[in-house]
Amino acid sequence: ATASIAVASLIAVGPQSMAHASSASKVLVLGGTGFVGSRIVKKLNDLGIEVIATSRDGRDGTIALDVSTPGLDVMKTVENLAKGCTAVISTIGAIGTDQDLVINAATGSAALGAKAANVDHFVYISVAPEV
């Protein structure tokens, strides 16, 4: 259901429907192998939308992006990954780890990176308690 909500929100916003522009749409999904992210990736693929996905370790054909890596410039990394994308969906977040603050703050940096890449839409879905 969450994946459908995220995808529906992308389809419903903007000057043109992503459902009708699927061949020209590309979406970056941060956390694309997690519980929520994997469902979003599947839904986007089912709609024929090109997907770039990240995971902490690059599994399942994703791009490795561990936002807790010391010194990593998340904003610049996401800006580079998001070039040419119409949307970025962040599903990264943590509760109860010693890295919660770093991991949960990364979505803010990711939003700035998406903006710098001129991405039209940014969606954040997470378990982060800051929300």
Side-chain angles (χ1 to χ4, degrees):
T2 304
S4 295
I5 292 168
V7 174
S9 70
L10 287 172
I11 291 170
V13 296
Q16 68 183 37
S17 168
M18 286 187 69
H20 293 113
S22 62
S23 63
S25 299
K26 181 165 62 169
V27 176
L28 171 62
V29 179
L30 304 173
T33 59
F35 181 76
V36 174
S38 63
R39 285 157 175 81
I40 291 171
V41 167
K42 181 181 180 334
K43 188 64 128 175
L44 291 169
N45 284 328
D46 289 349
L47 291 170
I49 296 172
E50 183 180 352
V51 176
I52 300 170
T54 69
S55 67
R56 279 178 295 205
D57 56 10
R59 67 184 174 274
D60 299 332
T62 60
I63 296 169
L65 176 60
D66 183 347
V67 297
S68 66
T69 303
L72 177 68
D73 186 341
V74 174
M75 180 182 148
K76 194 57 149 171
T77 301
V78 170
E79 178 183 356
N80 290 331
L81 290 173
K83 287 184 178 163
C85 290
T86 51
V88 174
I89 301 173
S90 176
T91 66
I92 56 176
I95 293 178
T97 74
D98 60 347
Q99 293 292 309
D100 284 7
L101 184 59
V102 171
I103 293 168
N104 294 334
T107 288
S109 296
L112 294 172
K115 182 176 181 178
N118 295 313
V119 172
D120 293 331
H121 309 288
F122 188 89
V123 177
Y124 177 46
I125 303 171
S126 183
V127 296
E130 291 82 6
V131 177

